[in-house]
Amino acid sequence: MGIDTNDTPLGLTKQGHSCVRLHKEGRTLVIDPGGFSEQEAALGADALLVTHEHADHFDELRLRAAMEDNPEAEIWTLRSVADQISGAFPGRVHVVGDGDTFEAAGFRIEVHGELHAVIHPDIPRITNIGFVVDGLVFHPGDALTVPARPVHTLLLPVHAPWNKYSEVLDYVRAVGPTQVYDIHDGLLNDNGLGLFGRMLGAGGPGTGGAAHAHLDPGERVSLAR
């Protein structure tokens, strides 16, 4: 499957940690408004996607606030999250899994992946899905899933208990995007952000040609196609 040729501009606003807001034609899609993101991160969303049940990605109060703020808003997520919130919003919470495609508030979504990355062999793995939006940008959640299609922009989990720098770099090379933006950075201070910036930039061993950038919470960019 090739990259979507739709020419409609797609805007991205970085929120805290792993949360992003995508904007197109006056509609807003929010991914992973968890406990490390801003209290208002999900407000104003027309559609919400949640990759898995961990609290830094799924916060029930933030989702409830968004769903109550916009009675037309809907959520797409996996079973483990849907079971916790679907009762409050019947008909507005949809279960999806690897290989599914759907439209949410005018955005075309593909689902890739099934399991969270291994934190430690003694910790049971949970389910995790990633989302390709409009054939352009991929949010993998807490996994280093390589989608079975090209993507221009990769949202890269740079720091977590389940990854290390060599895996992060090799993941960028495996996906082969043109542009990389950091996510999953809520536990890093300025020193850590600077280190990852150097190692994934010109001072590192090379990302296979992908440009790397860090966005501060609230910073917005337009995604090229």
Side-chain angles (χ1 to χ4, degrees), residues 110-134:
E110 303 168 18
V111 184
H112 295 262
E114 299 181 84
L115 291 172
H116 191 287
V118 175
I119 301 172
H120 187 275
D122 291 349
I123 299 176
R125 294 178 76 181
I126 63 170
T127 50
N128 177 96
I129 53 178
F131 300 104
V132 172
V133 180
D134 279 356

Side-chain angles (χ1 to χ4, degrees), residues 157-170:
V158 291
H159 180 260
W162 46 267
N163 70 12
K164 58 184 180 181
Y165 168 72
S166 63
E167 296 171 338
V168 169
L169 178 61
D170 286 346

Side-chain angles (χ1 to χ4, degrees), residues 70-86:
N70 179 4
E72 302 299 318
E74 298 179 68
I75 298 170
W76 284 262
T77 187
L78 33 62
R79 174 66 63 187
S80 59
V81 171
D83 284 348
Q84 299 182 57
I85 197 168
S86 59

